[in-house]
Amino acid sequence: AIKYMFQGQKKYKKSIKRNIYFMGDFCSDVGPAIVNKNYYPYLKENIYCCRTNSKIIRPINFIFNIAKCNILLISALSKFHIKAAKFAKKRNKKVVYLMHGYNKVEYELNGIPNDKRILRDVEEEMLKIADKIVCVSEKFCQYMKSERSELADKFEYVNSGIEVLENPVKGKKEKSDIFTIISV
């Protein structure tokens, strides 16, 4: 009986679906929030998220739902998200960061002074904490692997938003520099 109990327990653990807590901005009109809002209708029942910016409700919702989850998916940067990632890591949860852009480059391009680069420090901490970093395009992923070679094994990609296809039209031989941009 004990033998069958342990065999059943082993099979049960294998059959459990991995639950995800999806943490991100679902309220504003910035890039990551727009992506998150578009992902929301397609989330499965084993993916939990909080769609409010309330400073009272968000932590309560996180504490309640992270207990049911194996993975914390973070899709926007904030100090609260860093605290949540640290909390999740202490409880042996995997942390995945969906990376929409690289603040270091964005701040340099926009000429933002060093004393105003608050999210850059948050992003640096997130890159170190995350078990996996998912970039929103293959080219961005390749760039991040070369830019942050010490973290290269953490980077993956999921093409999202814009994908460039090489030679999209079969059989036509026109210019070799023809490409198609598909925007979703």
Side-chain angles (χ1 to χ4, degrees):
I2 292 173
K3 176 184 162 188
Y4 289 119
M5 179 183 77
F6 285 115
Q7 286 177 348
Q9 186 180 33
K10 190 175 181 180
K11 286 179 184 177
Y12 173 74
K13 285 182 179 178
K14 284 183 181 179
S15 72
I16 296 173
K17 293 181 180 176
R18 298 180 82 57
N19 292 324
I20 300 171
Y21 187 83
F22 184 171
M23 188 173 227
D25 181 359
F26 288 90
C27 299
S28 69
D29 288 323
V30 296
I34 293 168
V35 171
N36 295 344
K37 286 181 213 177
N38 284 293
Y39 282 155
Y40 184 77
Y42 304 101
L43 297 180
K44 302 227 183 249
E45 59 201 39
N46 61 332
I47 299 177
Y48 305 94
C49 64
C50 182
R51 294 179 55 202
T52 180
N53 279 342
S54 167
K55 291 184 179 185
I56 296 168
I57 294 172
R58 284 177 65 208
I60 293 168
N61 186 281
F62 171 75
I63 296 293
F64 179 72
N65 285 314
I66 196 66
K68 298 186 255 182
C69 296
N70 309 85
I71 300 168
L72 173 62
L73 170 63
I74 297 177
S75 178
L77 289 173
S78 73
K79 290 179 182 177
F80 175 65
H81 291 163
I82 287 292
K83 290 176 186 174
K86 288 178 180 178
F87 182 86
K89 289 292 275 191
K90 285 181 183 176
R91 277 138 191 90
N92 297 319
K93 313 285 184 182
K94 297 288 182 192
V95 176
V96 178
Y97 171 46
L98 181 59
M99 192 171 190
H100 299 273
Y102 191 31
N103 283 319
K104 177 184 173 195
V105 173
E106 290 178 33
Y107 285 162
E108 289 170 6
L109 288 173
N110 293 324
I112 297 172
N114 284 335
D115 61 327
K116 303 281 187 198
R117 298 179 180 196
I118 298 164
L119 276 183
R120 193 169 111 194
D121 297 335
V122 171
E123 182 177 62
E124 276 302 309
E125 203 166 349
M126 183 61 74
L127 293 175
K128 291 174 186 169
I129 291 171
D131 295 297
K132 191 61 71 182
I133 303 162
V134 180
C135 298
V136 293
S137 77
E138 186 175 4
K139 287 187 180 193
F140 180 43
C141 183
Q142 290 169 352
Y143 171 78
M144 288 307 298
K145 283 181 177 181
S146 67
E147 180 73 16
R148 300 299 302 269
S149 58
E150 76 279 10
L151 303 173
D153 60 327
K154 288 185 174 187
F155 289 103
E156 295 290 335
Y157 71 91
V158 173
N159 284 321
S160 139
I162 297 175
E163 175 153 2
V164 178
L165 301 175
E166 313 250 346
N167 195 8
V169 182
K170 291 183 179 181
K172 287 191 174 183
K173 289 187 178 181
E174 294 176 15
K175 295 180 184 177
S176 62
D177 61 343
I178 293 177
F179 61 92
T180 301
I181 297 176
I182 299 171
S183 180
V184 180

